[in-house]
Amino acid sequence: MKILQLVSSFGIGGAEKFVADLSVELKAQGHEVTILVLDHAKDVGKDPDYEKNIIEYLNEKQVQVIHVGEKARRRPFTIFSALNITIKSFNPDVIHSHLLIWSVFLSFFWGKRKHIFTQHTNVLRFPFIHKVFVR
């Protein structure tokens, strides 16, 4: 199965470690896994060395990592474009998002694709969006 993981960054945090470990385990089970990362750690004020170590670990385990680009959160079209290109080229069977904005994009533009959303925080800035898009 082809699985696309969508994560905000690889800064220090539980969600980031979870995505890396889950992706490695899925790869070990024979799945093809690609991770699309929204921001570089330095762009969100997190440790770039931690990010470097996680990416080296993922590369060693043959999990592909793609970064959207610098300060992507400020450019929604860049996010949309990168997601569109990645979905078309990778053609995943399942998309697993770990950020609400990814799920919003997926629901609007790729609603026919199977996707899973994992909420990693207890605090939502816009809870009404969560109620609309998460079933």
Side-chain angles (χ1 to χ4, degrees):
M1 182 181 311
K2 294 171 106 179
I3 302 167
L4 177 62
Q5 298 275 7
L6 308 172
V7 67
S8 61
S9 73
F10 275 126
I12 295 174
E16 293 81 359
K17 179 78 169 117
F18 170 78
V19 171
D21 290 344
L22 176 62
S23 297
V24 167
E25 182 59 32
L26 289 167
K27 180 73 177 175
Q29 291 181 14
H31 301 287
E32 190 175 341
V33 182
T34 294
I35 304 172
L36 184 61
V37 184
L38 188 61
D39 291 307
H40 288 282
K42 67 180 169 80
D43 293 332
V44 291
K46 297 196 176 181
D47 184 5
D49 290 331
Y50 183 84
E51 174 187 59
K52 180 183 173 206
N53 290 337
I54 282 190
I55 291 173
E56 286 175 359
Y57 167 67
L58 291 167
N59 287 336
E60 177 183 302
K61 300 296 184 178
Q62 299 178 333
V63 174
Q64 181 183 19
V65 177
I66 302 169
H67 274 93
V68 171
E70 290 186 35
K71 300 178 181 153
R73 290 176 201 242
R74 296 184 185 154
R75 298 180 299 209
F77 181 75
T78 303
I79 298 169
F80 178 81
S81 178
L83 187 55
N84 190 39
I85 289 167
T86 304
I87 288 173
K88 284 184 177 180
S89 64
F90 185 57
N91 195 26
D93 298 304
V94 174
I95 303 170
H96 187 178
S97 64
H98 301 269
L99 188 63
L100 185 57
I101 191 66
W102 292 115
S103 287
V104 170
F105 278 138
L106 290 167
S107 295
F108 273 124
F109 300 106
W110 298 280
K112 294 177 184 172
R113 296 256 180 200
K114 291 181 183 177
H115 77 271
I116 299 165
F117 169 61
T118 299
Q119 179 68 39
H120 291 277
T121 61
N122 292 329
V123 179
L124 295 173
R125 288 188 199 168
F126 307 106
F128 69 92
I129 293 175
H130 186 55
K131 289 178 184 175
V132 170
F133 292 105
V134 179
R135 296 178 221 123

